[in-house]
């Protein structure tokens, strides 16, 4: 067992909560739902960053039926958690699902507005950006609203055949898209597909790629974690 595969108490904490969350997203998602698309590697990576950066709030855009929202509420009680979705029925469902979690807010409406509000109130939030539909894709506006924080972009093209990514109107969710945000995003990280993680990923269906960003904060904690690979944002062509 290598140094990176040694299971810490934090890793065990992630495991205990991750596999207790009902996968309600099975009704409509190609990957059959679950926290972070049922990718425990993403949950482990998020926990490392949440701990290292002492993130003081959690945000999820595009919460759908609340699998990831439920996981975050269970794993990080007492920390403000804000979710949002543009579909009223989804918002009503998640509010009911998490009605016993006092630190959770779920909003109906514009995700960039929610992101901006949380960014203004907290010093170093964690943002899980997963809001997209056939009608809109607010990722660029969300990123422009963030001055400081740790960001995970779901369904991102990491350049690996095992990991899927989304497109919208012919534009891939990938490195070229980040070049539209401006000078504040010059680099990003991906979770190394070959990283020796403490637990294996049991997602055998659609496994979405993810980009990890550090905005307005020291990148040292990210660079010190051996699970991540650094990538440069290409110049806008």
């Amino acid at each position: 067992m290598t140094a990176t595969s040694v299971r810490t108490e934090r890793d065990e904490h992630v495991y205990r909560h991750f596999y207790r969350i009902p996968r309600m997203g099975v009704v409509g998602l190609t990957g059959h739902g679950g926290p972070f698309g049922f990718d425990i590697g993403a949950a482990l990576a998020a926990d490392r960053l949440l701990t290292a950066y002492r993130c003081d709030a959690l945000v999820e855009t595009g919460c759908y039926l609340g699998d990831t929202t439920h996981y975050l509420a269970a794993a990080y009680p007492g920390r403000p958690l804000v979710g949002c979705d543009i579909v009223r029925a989804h918002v009503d469902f998640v509010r009911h699902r998490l009605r016993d979690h006092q630190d959770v807010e779920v909003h109906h409406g514009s995700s960039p507005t929610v992101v901006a509000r949380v960014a203004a109130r907290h010093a170093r939030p964690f943002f899980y950006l997963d809001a997209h539909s056939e009608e809109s894709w607010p990722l660029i506006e969300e990123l422009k609203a963030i001055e400081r924080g740790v960001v995970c972009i779901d369904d991102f093209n990491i350049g690996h055949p095992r990991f899927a990514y989304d497109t919208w109107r012919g534009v891939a969710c990938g490195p070229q898209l980040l070049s539209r945000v401006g000078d504040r995003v010059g680099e990003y990280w991906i979770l190394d597909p070959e990283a020796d993680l403490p637990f294996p990923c049991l997602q055998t269906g659609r496994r979405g790629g993810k980009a990890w960003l550090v905005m307005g904060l020291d990148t040292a904690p990210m660079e010190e974690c051996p699970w991540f690979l650094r990538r440069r944002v290409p110049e806008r062509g």
Side-chain angles (χ1 to χ4, degrees):
M1 181 176 289
T2 65
T4 55
S5 63
V6 173
R7 295 173 184 172
T8 68
E9 290 186 9
R10 291 300 315 172
D11 299 331
E12 296 285 354
H13 174 83
V14 170
Y15 179 89
R16 286 195 301 272
H17 289 288
F18 188 87
Y19 287 113
R20 290 176 178 171
I21 302 302
R23 297 171 68 183
M24 305 302 294
V26 69
V27 302
L29 300 177
T30 55
H32 307 299
F36 293 103
F38 204 52
D39 185 347
I40 195 172
L44 291 164
D47 187 75
R48 287 292 172 101
L49 298 178
L50 284 164
T51 302
Y53 282 95
R54 303 188 307 279
C55 293
D56 55 355
L58 311 173
V59 181
E60 181 192 8
T61 66
C63 58
Y64 189 47
L65 299 183
D67 291 358
T68 303
T69 325
H70 193 173
Y71 165 75
L72 292 172
Y76 305 100
R79 207 171 306 199
L81 169 58
V82 181
C84 66
D85 203 283
I86 61 171
V87 178
R88 168 62 73 178
H90 296 167
V91 171
D92 292 342
F93 180 88
V94 179
R95 284 175 176 172
H96 182 74
R97 179 177 182 175
L98 300 181
R99 62 193 180 279
D100 295 330
H101 294 267
Q102 301 302 314
D103 298 302
V104 178
E105 300 176 14
V106 184
H107 298 276
H108 174 241
S110 164
S111 60
T113 300
V114 171
V115 167
R117 186 183 305 127
V118 175
R121 292 178 179 175
H122 298 276
R124 45 190 181 277
F126 171 76
F127 298 92
Y128 181 53
L129 305 183
D130 192 24
H132 45 258
S133 68
E134 293 182 2
E135 293 77 25
S136 65
W137 195 16
L139 178 60
I140 298 300
E141 288 73 21
E142 291 172 343
L143 290 172
K144 288 181 177 179
I146 300 171
E147 291 293 334
R148 300 176 309 279
V150 179
V151 179
C152 177
I153 303 172
D154 198 18
D155 299 315
F156 190 91
N157 183 8
I158 67 169
H160 190 282
R162 177 65 183 85
F163 294 84
Y165 58 93
D166 281 350
T167 60
W168 186 71
R169 296 184 179 178
V171 178
C173 183
Q176 290 291 345
L177 192 66
L178 294 181
S179 66
R180 301 183 183 183
V181 180
D183 296 339
R184 289 188 301 115
V185 180
E187 59 191 359
Y188 65 98
W189 285 259
I190 65 171
L191 187 62
D192 185 352
E194 306 302 324
D196 190 6
L197 301 178
F199 298 100
C201 177
L202 301 182
Q203 173 59 280
T204 59
R206 186 189 192 279
R207 191 174 181 186
K210 292 171 177 58
W212 305 80
L213 286 70
V214 178
M215 301 181 69
L217 299 172
D218 184 7
T219 61
M222 175 72 86
E223 295 168 352
E224 291 167 1
C225 182
W227 296 348
F228 292 100
L229 300 175
R230 182 181 179 182
R231 297 287 185 263
R232 295 293 303 175
V233 174
E235 294 184 5
R236 185 171 183 178

